[in-house]
Amino acid sequence: MNSADLGRRVGVPSTALFTDQYELTMVQAALKAGTADRHSVFEAFTRRLPEGRRYGVVAGVGRVLDAVENFHFDDEILTFLRERNVVDGPTLAWLADYRFGGDIWGYPEGEVYFPGSPVLRVEGSFAECVLLETVILSILNHDSAIAAAASRMSVAASGRGLIEMGARRTHELSAVASARAAYVGGFDTTSDLAAGFRYNIPTVGTSAHAFTLLHDTERDAFQAQVDSLGRDTTLLVDTYDVAEAVRAAVEVAGTGLGAVRIDSGDLLLVAHRVRQQLDELGATRTKIVVTSDLDEYAIASLAAAPVDAYGVGTQLVTGSGHPTCSMVYKLVARADSADPAEPLRPVAKKSLGSKSSTGGRKWAARRLDENGVAEAEVVGTGPVPADLADRQLLVELVKGGEVVAREPLDAARERHIAARAGLPMSATQLSRGEPVIPTEFV
């Protein structure tokens, strides 16, 4: 495997300031109290899925690994912290030598998860682990939300092509992360070149309405595009009159025209009319691509339409109404010293509301029924039952501060397809409902 298989790393000198100030002030106080080195276990999980969702999708694991590797405090960052009086001198000296040296286990990217699933487990000293809280949650909450929306859209598309095209609807760096997460969740291509450059995601794109409006006639625009990009290109046919545009497109490109794109109107009706017209003109292999504020419900409503691919923007990069997974990062166990052999004691916040959690270092496994279909997410803190030993979900990601589990993005994409296929059929329903399998704590 060469480096290109894994994509290019995000070009940031350090991720250390992708954090909240109280992470650093907790370290300062713990250093002074002599508790900073206590062996500790943190876990990232969510107490519930977004309303109506049947399963979650783990995405962003590869980006978390990059962030952990790049989490260090260089001279410029230390100067900033000193000038702002964020932490004291002894803490600055400790931060100057910081490199995460612990272990991280987690659900592999593309896997599905449920309420209470220990999606990520971070183990080491309290100080080195607590500093990673914000950046880990920032990545997992965003990417998993996008991947979950993408997965639902992939289900609705039923094998038809999916193009991620939301770069202009979100922050420029979020756009790259969104394209990556969408690819994990089932999208095939992206319009975002930065995502293609960094993560080797296939990129697509031809022209917008501005290109048609630039020319004296629609036919001139089509001719210019075909002359430049070839007959296999995709021509945008809804700038003026769709029927006239389709006729002109086939006359210019011939019956070998690659595709036409429809970006407005009653997509169901227009797609049927365009398909009929293309077939009558002999362009029977010309595909139809539709765009225009699609989400999983709109895609599902077009299931009977002669559509070959969908382009999705706004709803995808905003998680289709759920832009976060509400994951949290909690201390679940700690020792009385830095000795890894020291017994861990479970710890958990007590709450009268819905913010309670379960203490203890956890394992997770997925129990299957007699047909090999998932029937429960089993989470425990004691010995793993023998019948679940080969169904455990957490894998080792970082050992002694060294990343040990990098993989090509296609591996995460394929894993998600397999994980989703292993769920009960009701997981693919778009109607609102409870998680498709329960979480059992043992």
Side-chain angles (χ1 to χ4, degrees):
M1 181 186 302
N2 60 48
S3 60
D5 293 328
L6 301 177
R8 295 171 173 84
R9 308 287 178 82
V10 177
V12 294
S14 170
T15 53
L17 291 186
F18 294 163
T19 190
D20 291 305
Q21 180 167 314
Y22 79 167
E23 316 290 7
L24 274 66
T25 54
M26 280 192 286
V27 168
Q28 174 177 308
L31 288 169
K32 187 172 183 179
T35 54
D37 289 335
R38 285 185 170 180
H39 185 201
S40 300
V41 180
F42 286 80
E43 290 174 352
F45 62 93
T46 185
R47 297 183 177 95
R48 65 193 65 83
L49 296 180
E51 183 181 358
R53 295 289 168 89
R54 303 298 181 91
Y55 60 90
V57 181
V58 178
V61 174
R63 296 208 308 122
V64 166
L65 298 180
D66 289 344
V68 171
E69 274 196 336
N70 287 328
F71 202 100
H72 58 86
F73 296 82
D74 57 28
D75 290 342
E76 187 175 9
I77 292 175
L78 293 170
T79 298
F80 166 79
L81 297 175
R82 183 182 300 107
E83 291 175 345
R84 296 294 183 94
N85 293 316
V86 174
V87 290
D88 60 17
T91 305
L92 288 171
W94 185 88
L95 293 175
D97 294 328
Y98 178 85
R99 290 292 190 281
F100 179 73
D103 301 329
I104 300 179
W105 288 68
Y107 280 39
E109 191 153 17
E111 183 59 84
V112 296
Y113 70 89
F114 298 92
S117 296
V119 171
L120 202 73
R121 188 176 74 213
V122 182
E123 189 164 349
S125 73
F126 173 83
E128 68 178 336
C129 295
V130 77
L131 283 180
L132 300 176
E133 175 181 5
T134 302
V135 70
I136 285 175
L137 289 179
S138 176
I139 293 170
L140 291 181
N141 269 313
H142 174 271
D143 290 23
S144 297
I146 306 306
S151 180
R152 286 165 59 86
M153 293 174 190
S154 176
V155 167
S158 299
R160 297 173 178 178
L162 286 167
I163 307 164
E164 185 283 315
M165 46 194 305
R168 63 191 62 190
R169 294 292 187 259
T170 187
H171 184 279
E172 65 271 20
L173 296 183
S174 296
V176 180
S178 294
R180 183 187 183 282
Y183 189 70
V184 171
F187 272 61
D188 304 294
T189 56
T190 179
S191 66
D192 191 283
L193 289 176
F197 176 76
R198 289 183 180 175
Y199 299 118
N200 299 315
I201 301 171
T203 58
V204 295
T206 52
S207 68
H209 292 103
F211 185 77
T212 301
L213 297 171
L214 168 68
H215 292 81
D216 296 334
T217 68
E218 194 168 42
R219 182 183 294 271
D220 289 344
F222 291 166
Q223 189 66 62
Q225 185 173 328
V226 169
D227 288 346
S228 175
L229 302 178
R231 298 178 185 277
D232 197 39
T233 190
T234 299
L235 296 177
L236 181 59
V237 295
D238 73 329
T239 305
Y240 304 116
D241 179 271
V242 173
E244 288 298 321
V246 171
R247 184 177 297 107
V250 175
E251 289 175 356
V252 169
T255 57
L257 173 63
V260 296
R261 179 163 75 94
I262 306 166
D263 188 51
S264 58
D266 184 336
L267 297 179
L268 179 62
L269 176 63
V270 175
H272 277 288
R273 289 178 174 174
V274 168
R275 182 72 272 159
Q276 180 180 355
Q277 185 180 11
L278 287 169
D279 291 347
E280 290 173 349
L281 292 170
T284 56
R285 296 185 179 181
T286 298
K287 296 180 179 181
I288 297 175
V289 180
V290 297
T291 53
S292 185
D293 293 327
L294 299 177
D295 61 10
E296 61 265 49
Y297 302 105
I299 291 171
S301 73
L302 292 168
V307 172
D308 298 284
Y310 306 92
V312 190
T314 303
Q315 291 302 317
L316 177 60
V317 299
T318 57
S320 195
H322 298 290
T324 180
C325 303
S326 299
M327 287 190 192
V328 294
Y329 182 90
K330 297 297 181 183
L331 179 65
V332 297
R334 59 92 173 167
D336 292 332
S337 74
D339 185 356
E342 182 85 20
L344 288 168
R345 61 175 68 189
V347 294
K349 173 184 176 181
K350 293 183 178 180
S351 175
L352 298 177
S354 59
K355 290 190 174 184
S356 61
S357 56
T358 303
R361 179 207 278 141
K362 300 175 191 66
W363 53 264
R366 193 161 296 146
R367 191 173 68 238
L368 308 182
D369 65 16
E370 63 275 10
N371 297 313
V373 178
E375 65 176 10
E377 191 89 339
V378 185
V379 178
T381 57
V384 181
D387 62 324
L388 294 176
D390 63 347
R391 300 297 307 167
Q392 293 189 71
L393 294 163
L394 278 77
V395 299
E396 192 170 33
L397 302 171
V398 176
K399 182 175 183 178
E402 297 295 324
V403 174
V404 295
R406 277 204 173 86
E407 62 181 4
L409 196 58
D410 279 330
R413 175 185 172 86
E414 292 165 6
R415 181 180 295 113
H416 177 62
I417 293 171
R420 190 175 64 196
L423 298 176
M425 289 185 64
S426 57
T428 60
Q429 294 177 350
L430 296 182
S431 57
R432 294 184 180 276
E434 296 300 314
V436 69
I437 60 173
T439 304
E440 298 177 1
F441 293 92
V442 296

